[in-house]
Each structure stands twice: as structure tokens, then as C-alpha cells.
Amino acid sequence: MSPVSLAIVGAGDRGTGYARWALAHPEQARIVAVADPVADRARPLAEASGARVFADWRELVAAGRIADAVVLATQDGEHAEPAVALAGLGYHLLVEKPLAPTEAECEAIVAAVERAGVIFAVCHVLRYAPYTDAVRSVLASGRIGEVVSVQHLEPVGFWHQAHSYVRGNWRRSDQAAFMLLAKSSHDLDWLQYVVGRRIRRVSSFGGLQHFRPERRPAGAAARCLDCPVEPDCPYSAKRLYFDRLHAGRHEWPLSVVTPVFTEEALTEALRHGPYGRCVYDCDNDVVDHQVVAMEFDGGASGTFTMTAFNTGGHRRTRIFGTHGELACDGVSVHVEDFRTGTATTVPVHAGGDATAGGGHAGGDERLMAAFVRAVATGDRGLIRSGPAESLASHRAVFAAERARLTDQVVTVG
């Protein structure tokens, strides 16, 4: 088969990450177009692939259909309009999560792709991770019986919260999306996938507990480079970024702060850019902790916890069944069998850590491989995160946020 031709719309960190897979697999995919309003972001991909450069998605649409598929990795609030337009031209679509910051826009995207009949996948990369296959295999085997309840933790990480959700692009719900949608739409989607049932009812609690002006230490400056208390602050931008620079870790999240990996460039970025600000002196409003209680179709229950206050790492999950229980830490799956009294551990070969820079423990690579193969063969069964499934999990996320804001139990629409 000929390689699938791709257009990359949005050449930021996520778009570039997916594009790297295509560059590493030229026998399967080739990049023919890159659209981004920031020329310095589009240029490296264009030079590496020989692709045409477009100023934005509208310019790409005006050129007609020049590729088989589009990887749409613009900012959260800039998905709906290009997705609808590109689907209308017949492009197969891989869209970064979340689909859109409003339920109506999510529905509009799904309606457009179903109307056009194109292959469509959402970047719910956790569905494609090797540890997900290991968990589902255990559940399908019947070793723990019928699933009755689930506990799931997303340990965002203190430094990741500070980078992305206090100083970074996802710090404000009016500029990106609320935290549960921006960060944890992965998780509610994953829970539906592994349990095999949709979420029916939700309640939720949480808020912005710590990263607030009144929590600012006495004497703290507006920027870490000028701050006398910075050495004792766990959220020090100097420590977070300079340690990575000196260790040669020229990747996310450092790549978001500066494209030039020198002390001078990083100092300039922290002196004048958003990533050098004191975490207690930002304009952030998204929550730093949240709990969702849920009921699945059929009666199983679950809890999901998202919190900033940990060291990060893989998600951690416990699933309780009528015949046993399962615990997964992203590295292995541990199974206790009530009937035999035996315990077994299934190792997981992830091929990367749980961060975006680590490819979400193999999920990014396997998502791209599945999507490209689906486009090449027309086999929609390769897509684990299609329109109906993704819309259902997004609706659960919107319902959970309504529950948090209204202090109610909300039925998923």
C-alpha cells in the first residue's frame, strides 16, 4: 500500500509529537502539509518532510483536499470549526482531546464526521497504551468475575500542574477548558473503555485549593528569578527548567518554554515569559484537585481522583470484582483470585513513561499506527476512540463538571 498522506494542523507540542511518528515510519505515512500561524513552529516539520506550509487551517481548506487525513492538534477551543470544514472536504480526522470546550461543539464535530462518512479518531491515547490491553485482557478472562467497583487516580504531578495548569496554556477555563476536560477527559474515557459500560450518573467535588494569591509566601517576588524564597519553593521555575536544561533533557516541558536550549534563551524566557511567574501570582482559575463519583450502566460504581499534589507518574487503578481484584500502576497488573487464593503479576512493556514527552506509555505511537492503518485499509475496527464512544465520555465529563458546580447528582445526557 502507498503511504497515507497527512496534513498536520497545529504544529505545537502535540502536533509535532504525532508528526514525529510519521517521519519515523515513511513506509506508512508521509507529511504533505503543515498549517500553523507561527512560522517558526511549522518550519522544522516542513523542512524535515518536504511538506507545504499553510498559514492556518483556513488556508489549507481553501487548497481543497490535498491529503488523505488531517491530524488536528490546535488549541482546545480551535477544534470545532476546522474539524467540521475538513470533514466536509472528505479528510479523515485524528483530533486531539478534548474534542471541544463545549458539549454543543463536540456534538457538532461528531455530526459533521458522521455526515461526511470519514474515518474519525480522538486522541484518547490511554485506550491504546499496552497497560490498557493488559487490564482488559484480565477482565475479559473472567479471573476477577463481574466488575463491581473501581478506584482510579490521576497523579498530575506538582511540577506538571505548575507548568501547564498554573503558568501554562491550560490555566484558565475561559481560554482553554476546565481542568476535568483539559486533563482528565482521558481518564473518564478510559474507565468507560475498561469497564465496558457507559457512565450513567455522576457527582463531583473539588476546587482551586493552593495556587491562589493568599497562599503566597511572605517576601515572594512576582518571578522566580528575582525571588528570595525560591530555593525553598517546590514550584520553582528555576529548578524545574534549568535542571532539565543541564541534564540535556531538551524535550517537553522545556521545549514549551523555549525552542532554543541555552542558558541565555531560558533565562530570557523565564525573565519575560509566562513560565517564569510565581505560581501564586498568575491568572489561573482551574482546579488543582477534584473527585468524581460515578455509576455505570448496570450498577457498578467508581471513583476518580485528580490531584496536583504528588510526584506524578503512571495512573493507578484498582478494580474490584466478584471473584477477585486487580491493581494496575502502569508498569504491571497485579491480580488476586478469591477462589484459589493465588496472586499473579502481569508485566507491562510500555516503551515510555506516562508523560506527553514519554509518549503516554506507548499510547501515542499505537494510536498513530492504528489511525494510519485504518485510513490505509478502511478498517474502522482499528479505531478504539471513534465518534460515538468519544462523545459519550465527553458527555460524562461535562456532566461531572456540572455536578461539581451545582452540588448535584447529574445524569449523563
Side-chain angles (χ1 to χ4, degrees), residues 93 95 99 109-110 113 118-122 371 380 383 385-387 390:
L93 287 177
V95 181
L99 267 178
I109 292 172
V110 169
V113 300
V118 297
I119 291 172
F120 175 76
V122 180
F371 175 71
R380 296 170 188 260
I383 301 299
S385 52
S390 293

Side-chain angles (χ1 to χ4, degrees), residues 43 57 59-60 65 93 100 235 253 274 291 315 351 360 379:
R43 188 179 302 111
W57 66 268
E59 192 173 285
L60 176 65
R65 188 171 183 232
L93 287 177
Y235 308 104
V291 174
R315 272 88 168 172
H360 291 109
D379 183 359

Side-chain angles (χ1 to χ4, degrees), residues 93-156:
L93 287 177
L94 177 64
V95 181
E96 182 56 280
K97 67 87 196 164
L99 267 178
T102 70
E103 200 163 352
E105 288 175 305
C106 293
E107 291 167 349
I109 292 172
V110 169
V113 300
E114 290 181 337
R115 186 166 57 245
V118 297
I119 291 172
F120 175 76
V122 180
C123 296
H124 285 306
V125 294
L126 299 187
R127 287 191 178 219
Y128 299 84
Y131 72 80
T132 301
D133 288 350
V135 171
R136 281 171 55 89
S137 177
V138 170
L139 296 179
S141 73
R143 290 168 65 188
I144 71 165
E146 180 185 353
V147 173
V148 177
S149 58
V150 183
Q151 294 176 345
H152 183 66
L153 167 69
E154 181 179 11
V156 177

Side-chain angles (χ1 to χ4, degrees), residues 287-377:
V287 304
D288 53 23
H289 68 111
Q290 187 166 355
V291 174
V292 179
M294 65 199 79
E295 181 182 65
F296 296 89
D297 285 344
S301 62
T303 59
F304 165 68
T305 299
M306 179 285 298
T307 179
F309 306 105
N310 45 69
T311 55
H314 291 282
R315 272 88 168 172
R316 297 155 208 172
T317 310
R318 299 191 72 177
I319 302 178
F320 307 97
T322 53
H323 294 162
E325 64 175 295
L326 172 158
C328 176
D329 60 4
V331 177
S332 62
V333 179
H334 183 75
V335 184
E336 299 273 357
D337 190 319
F338 301 159
R339 295 166 294 184
T340 64
T342 59
T344 57
T345 298
V346 180
V348 176
H349 304 288
D353 65 33
T355 68
H360 291 109
D364 288 2
E365 181 175 349
R366 294 179 68 181
L367 164 68
M368 280 298 295
F371 175 71
V372 167
R373 183 72 176 169
V375 172
T377 64

